Amino acid sequence: CEVSFEERFEEVVRLKEEGTKEYKAERWLQAQAHYHSAAQLLLDEPPSGCAPLNQIDAPNGKEEMAREIVISCWLNEAQCALKRELWSAAEKACDLVLLRLADPLGRDREQHVKALFRRGRARLMKSEFERARKDLKNAAALAPNSKEVREALHECKRRELEGRARSDAVFSKMAAKKVLYRDK
């Protein structure tokens, strides 16, 4: 039984609304599941045994509408993953968004900033400071007035310096011990 695009789209809207209700109730897992399911309904099904292509399946003239809601669901899924401290899941959802942006400096600018910011936060929490800093700098360039982005970039720089200081201290202790052992 083939389900029409319109029927699938109605279900996507319903699932997205359910996800938003769950998010507002701070039920991150349930919200994330709804957003993920909603996006999946508009993606091509890969042949059996093949990896998902994540290509949006929509008839001519409806591609943009489908793309916009799938991007919104992925961004929301990333936000839920951040709330649940699932850094890699948040990063993956943002990667999917960034691959789909048709005009990242124009009409897709807001989504681009959100995806870069959320991916940067996920990378920061994974201590991937260089990659996080790059995402956050790009987000700041697109949204220079965003206090949230500026604060995250500052936090990234602070945590990177703290990490370097800890590494330097460990290295110094190791070097000091080696000198002691050599003298024996």
Side-chain angles (χ1 to χ4, degrees):
C1 174
E2 184 74 20
V3 179
S4 73
F5 172 79
E6 287 73 20
E7 291 170 315
R8 284 187 296 135
F9 194 83
E10 283 178 25
E11 182 63 7
V12 167
V13 170
R14 187 191 69 73
L15 286 168
K16 186 174 183 276
E17 288 171 355
E18 285 296 316
T20 301
K21 286 179 191 172
E22 297 291 355
Y23 185 87
K24 288 178 180 178
E26 298 184 4
R27 291 188 290 265
W28 318 124
L29 172 63
Q30 294 86 343
Q32 186 177 0
H34 284 299
Y35 292 132
H36 180 81
S37 295
Q40 290 301 116
L41 283 175
L42 291 180
L43 299 178
D44 273 339
E45 287 295 317
S48 180
C50 294
L53 302 172
N54 290 318
Q55 296 298 318
I56 297 170
D57 180 26
N60 287 339
K62 308 256 177 153
E63 301 95 347
E64 185 60 23
M65 178 175 68
R67 185 185 73 84
E68 286 177 11
I69 199 163
V70 167
I71 285 173
S72 178
C73 288
W74 281 332
L75 285 170
N76 293 345
E77 184 179 347
Q79 182 63 24
C80 291
L82 288 172
K83 293 284 190 183
R84 297 180 59 220
E85 300 182 2
L86 299 172
W87 316 127
S88 294
E91 183 179 16
K92 181 181 176 187
C94 292
D95 287 341
L96 291 170
V97 169
L98 291 167
L99 289 171
R100 298 302 180 302
L101 295 176
D103 185 12
L105 301 178
R107 65 187 161 98
D108 289 341
R109 185 184 203 107
E110 183 181 342
Q111 291 91 341
H112 195 175
V113 171
K114 283 182 181 180
L116 288 169
F117 172 72
R118 291 175 186 172
R119 187 172 72 178
R121 292 285 309 159
R123 289 174 169 176
L124 172 61
M125 300 312 291
K126 291 169 58 177
S127 298
E128 294 178 3
F129 301 119
E130 189 174 325
R131 296 173 75 205
R133 187 176 56 251
K134 181 180 176 188
D135 281 344
L136 295 170
K137 276 186 175 182
N138 287 335
L142 292 169
N145 297 327
S146 172
K147 182 180 176 186
E148 191 176 36
V149 172
R150 284 194 318 270
E151 287 174 352
L153 187 54
H154 178 72
E155 180 185 353
C156 181
K157 290 175 183 176
R158 181 185 57 76
R159 288 186 58 186
E160 186 173 16
L161 288 173
E162 288 172 359
R164 282 187 194 155
R166 278 193 302 276
S167 295
D168 289 348
V170 168
F171 181 74
S172 293
K173 285 181 183 179
M174 289 173 57
K177 286 182 180 182
K178 188 172 184 179
V179 169
L180 289 175
Y181 290 125
R182 215 179 354 176
D183 290 344
K184 289 186 177 184

